[in-house]
Structures are given as C-alpha cells and as structure tokens.
Amino acid sequence: VSEQPLLAGALVVIGALLVAGLLLTFGHAAARAVRDRLLAPRVADARRAIAEAVDTGALTPAGAGALRRLPFGVRLGVFADVAPSLRGEPRASITRAARETGLIAGAERRCASRSWRRRFRAVRLLTVLGGGEHAVPPLLADPTVEVRVQAAEWAAEHRPAENLDALVAMLGDAQLLARFTVQEALTRVGRAAGPALQTAIGTAQGDELVGALRVAAGIAEPGLTAAAIERARDPDARVRAAVADLLGAGGGEEAIAALQQLLEDDDARVRAAAAHALGRLGHWPAAARLAEHLHDDEWEVRRRSALALRAFGPVGAVMLRRAARDEHSSARDIATLALELPDTVVSS
Amino acid sequence: VLVEDDEALAGVVLHALGTRGYRTRVIPDGDEAAAQLGGARPALQAPLVLLDWDLPGRDGLTVLRGLAADGRLAHTAVIMLTARASEREVLAALDLGAADHVAKPISLPVLMQKVRRALAPPERA
C-alpha cells in the first residue's frame, strides 16, 4: 500500500517531463516558423539581389544593403543555396558579392568557432565560393570528422599544392569517412599529388600506406611503380594487395615480375589482386600459372584467375577449356562459368 | 516554362529570363508539369520548357516522354537541365525530341544563348 504514493509521484514527474519536452520541441519549431515568416520578405529581396548580381556581374547598392540586413547565418544559406548550381562568370559574380557583403570574411572568422556546425558551414561556403587561405588549412586536423572532410574538399578544390602533405597524411585518418573522402579528393588532384604519394608509399604504414597506393593506382602515375614494388613484401596483406592493384594499373617488366611473386602470396586477397592485375595487363605468358590457380582453395582467387584467363583471349580460352574437363569440380565449375560469361562482363 | 524544384536556382534563371523580356512561369515538380503541359489540350502552352532532370514526383525524362507521346514537342522546344544524368540518358532525352541539354552547374550565359536559339524563328532557305 505504501508503494502507491511513490508510484503516483513518479508518474507525475514523468508526465511533467514529457509535457516540458513537448513544449520545448513545439515551442522551438513555432519560434523558427515565426522567424522564417518574418524573414521571408528579406530573404526574397536578398535572392533577387543575388540574381541581379549574377545577371549583370555586380551588386547594386540596394542589393548589397538587402544582403547585409540579413542575419549572418541566413545570408550564408542564401549564398550556399545558389552558388553550387552555377559556374563560370556567374559563380565569380556571386563570389564577388559574398566578398563585398562581408560573407567571406565572416566565414573565415567562423572557421575558429567553438561550434563544429558553424565551422563546418563556414568551410562548406568557402569551398564553393573560395577564400579561407589561412583559415581553412588548420581545419584539416579538426577534432570533428565532418569538418576535416569538408576542409579536405576545400583543399583539393582551391589550394592542393600547399596542402598535399596534410591531405596525404589524412589517408591514415581514424575515420573511414575521412579516408574515403581524401582518396577521392587526391584522385581529383591527379598527377600533381605524385611526389607526396611517393613519399607516403616509401615511409607510411597501415591505412595511410594502403590509401596512398589506392590513389596512386587511380591516377596511374608511372613514377610510383618502383616505390610500390619496394613495399611488395610488406607484412600487412592489405598493403601487398594494394601494391598488386597499383602494378596492374601501370605495368612494365618489373611490375610483372613482382606480380608473379604476389600470385604465390600466402594471403588469398593478395593472390586474387595479383591475378586480376595480370589479367588487366593482358600478360598472357602468365596463363599457365594462372591456370594452376584455378585449383586455389579460395573461390575469389579461382574467380580472378579464370577472368584473367578469359581476358587473354584465345590463349586463355584454351586453358579454360582444358580446366572445364578437370577432375576437380572447383576448377571445372569456375572455368565453365568464365567461358560462359559474355564479353562485356569480362572486359568490365 | 521552367520546371525546377531548386528555388534558389529557379530565382536566378527567372530573373535572367525576365530581364531579357521573356514571360516566365515556374513549376516545381514533375507531376504538376505533366498535368499542366501534357495532354491533347494542355492547360499551359509554352514555346519553350526548361526541364530539370531530378524532380519530385515524375522525373524530367518521364515528363519529356509524356510530352513526346502527346505530340507536344511539335509546338514546344524542351531544354533538359541535367546534373547527374549519364551520357546514355542525355542521348535518350535527345532521341525523344529534346532540343538541347545544359549540364549543372549551369553557365547562365550558355543557357541564355540556348534559350535565344530555341526561340528564334526558323531560318528560311
């Protein structure tokens, strides 16, 4: 009986908390709606001012005034909405308008904000419009991954040469999102990233090394092959597999010799990558060794070897037809499968 | 007619068209565009439609296919605005009867030039 008042009290407290939560949520939404409604005419004026600037190449004094009257965050949103959809001279006009109305200087100041969302929005705007030469590079080491990633996008877009070493170092970032974004950004930078990648391939370890090898394979810079061969005996199997991918993108006698060694690696991922690379290079003298790998214990190695043989044309087809009558069902099955594949699948 | 769901971009394009003396109308989604522009007797008859590819409701290619099926492309030139469309999709749009396409992010001077050309009276031999 004595537990009943306690239970009732707890229910009252929970109810009160729920009501307070609902009030806060709806109150916030209502306040935003009222603010948006009050700001709507000023936002419309600002958008018109930008449209005029885009069309004529310059802001009118009235347009500049309309933009300055908007709160900074809203002004930032108005520019960020329109800029990515335009290029060429219209984009340059928007950048000039953003500079004239203090937006770029404000975004640069916000790069030092304590709120990561503010830093993120500021870098995103600077990525689209330019600016931030001194404010953004320190954010490549920001504690928040979203900010680091956006800073990497900025660096790849605007100042790759000055920030290449920092970008390459980010290939070893603890967060997958950052590693992936930086790989993509460096691939866009292209051959200019070659020297920084070469240093990383020579000295880095783990994720940074694997990332550097993958980017190098993507940009197919011949000068990186020698550096990659040096890492073909790395204790990390992911590194050896990435080396095989890179060698398959470049080719050359030394690369083929290294790939033939990697084809006998202890790790199945490495053997599969080497088989794929030899197929990509069309190195038909390796056909006999690839045919032996149709008996490999790992399905992926058998599959890659069969596809490589198929890519060799008539020489590989002879090997596959022979394997299709093999006494071992695993070799027989994969050879038959490869022979039945349409050419388009093999070439892709 | 501009069929475009991006309000900011629509504002810029409408302003540019307006200052060049064109009368404009914006439709923000694919279903409404098909309803207004399609059919045997369309509610809205326009000499030119700037048709975005990625739209809420029906996508731009489906809208274009409907206009082609209704025979509207004999009276209306369509310029597709494409952001992520593949080469094959752009070719499909041109095969269906689109007059041209402009890739996003767009160059406003290029778009205005294509609008001017699409609306120019045909040259006589």
Side-chain angles (χ1 to χ4, degrees):
Chain A
V1 177
S2 61
E3 286 178 355
Q4 274 186 346
L6 200 64
L7 189 64
L11 283 173
V12 167
V13 170
I14 291 168
L17 283 172
L18 262 174
V19 169
L22 286 171
L23 276 174
L24 267 175
T25 306
F26 285 110
H28 180 70
R32 268 202 93 114
V34 169
R35 175 176 171 267
D36 288 349
R37 200 169 177 156
L38 288 173
L39 280 173
R42 286 156 68 188
V43 170
D45 287 346
R47 285 195 171 145
R48 254 194 306 279
I50 290 179
E52 272 174 25
V54 165
D55 201 20
T56 62
L59 267 179
T60 61
L67 283 163
R68 285 202 189 93
R69 275 193 295 279
L70 278 182
F72 186 86
V74 181
R75 198 183 340 156
L76 191 144
V78 169
F79 276 92
D81 281 348
V82 72
S85 302
L86 297 167
R87 66 191 159 106
E89 184 50 35
R91 171 81 71 90
S93 302
I94 291 187
T95 301
R96 283 195 297 274
R99 225 174 256 289
E100 266 179 67
T101 54
L103 194 71
I104 288 184
E108 286 172 341
R109 280 195 301 278
R110 283 192 172 205
C111 286
S113 167
R114 287 167 67 180
S115 155
W116 76 263
R117 286 189 174 81
R118 283 185 165 200
R119 296 197 300 278
F120 172 75
R121 281 198 288 265
V123 184
R124 194 169 58 172
L125 184 91
L126 295 169
T127 304
V128 175
L129 294 178
E133 286 75 7
H134 300 294
V136 180
L139 299 182
L140 289 167
D142 196 89
T144 307
V145 64
E146 286 84 351
V147 180
R148 286 200 301 278
V149 161
Q150 192 58 51
E153 290 285 355
W154 175 91
E157 200 72 32
H158 297 287
R159 296 280 165 168
E162 290 91 330
N163 295 292
L164 275 173
D165 290 335
L167 281 173
V168 170
M170 274 182 78
L171 289 167
D173 197 286
Q175 298 286 332
L176 178 66
L177 174 67
R179 295 201 298 273
F180 181 78
T181 308
V182 170
Q183 277 185 34
E184 205 265 334
L186 283 167
T187 305
R188 271 187 285 139
V189 171
R191 290 189 161 188
L197 287 170
Q198 187 163 2
T199 306
I201 290 171
T203 57
Q205 303 290 335
D207 285 332
E208 184 181 344
L209 177 54
V210 172
L213 289 162
R214 285 186 183 149
V215 175
I219 62 176
E221 172 65 51
L224 300 175
T225 304
I229 289 173
E230 293 290 315
R231 305 307 294 260
R233 292 176 191 273
D234 195 278
D236 186 339
R238 295 175 313 145
V239 170
R240 299 197 301 278
V243 167
D245 285 338
L246 190 155
L247 298 180
E253 275 179 31
E254 288 179 344
I256 283 169
L259 282 171
Q260 285 177 331
Q261 285 185 357
L262 290 169
L263 193 60
E264 309 305 328
D265 197 276
D266 290 339
D267 192 286
R269 283 171 296 179
V270 183
R271 294 197 299 279
H276 178 59
L278 287 165
R280 259 181 98 182
L281 293 171
H283 184 66
W284 61 266
R289 294 182 73 178
L290 283 166
E292 288 169 19
H293 283 279
L294 297 176
H295 294 91
D296 198 285
D297 290 339
E298 294 294 330
W299 187 81
E300 186 59 13
V301 180
R302 297 199 298 276
R303 187 178 81 88
R304 289 291 189 187
S305 300
L307 287 174
L309 285 169
R310 179 66 200 273
F312 290 162
V315 175
V318 169
M319 300 285 187
L320 285 171
R321 275 199 287 273
R322 193 177 296 159
R325 297 189 300 273
D326 198 283
E327 58 181 313
H328 297 287
S329 63
S330 55
R332 213 164 51 226
D333 291 347
I334 199 68
T336 308
L337 190 70
L339 285 167
E340 287 172 354
L341 283 173
D343 287 341
T344 47
V345 175
V346 178
S347 60
S348 66
Chain B
V1 172
L2 171 64
V3 186
E4 171 63 67
D5 62 320
D6 179 343
E7 211 179 313
L9 178 62
V12 169
V13 174
L14 289 179
H15 182 274
L17 291 169
T19 55
R20 285 160 179 77
Y22 298 111
R23 280 190 296 134
T24 53
R25 169 91 187 263
V26 66
I27 300 177
D29 75 80
D31 289 339
E32 196 188 332
Q36 297 266 337
L37 299 165
R41 290 185 175 188
L44 200 57
Q45 297 202 22
L48 176 65
V49 175
L50 302 177
L51 181 56
D52 185 27
W53 194 284
D54 295 312
L55 289 166
R58 253 167 277 198
D59 65 48
L61 189 65
T62 309
V63 174
L64 177 69
R65 202 170 278 131
L67 296 179
D70 294 337
R72 300 310 311 161
L73 299 184
H75 313 280
T76 301
V78 175
I79 296 178
M80 300 294 295
L81 307 177
T82 58
R84 288 185 297 273
S86 66
E87 189 178 53
R88 189 180 295 181
E89 287 170 321
V90 170
L91 286 173
L94 295 172
D95 278 346
L96 276 171
D100 211 334
H101 90 102
V102 173
K104 285 183 181 177
I106 65 168
S107 158
L108 203 57
V110 169
L111 179 64
M112 291 302 116
Q113 166 69 12
K114 292 192 174 189
V115 166
R116 203 160 38 241
R117 209 174 55 188
L119 293 175
E123 285 179 23
R124 300 199 174 177

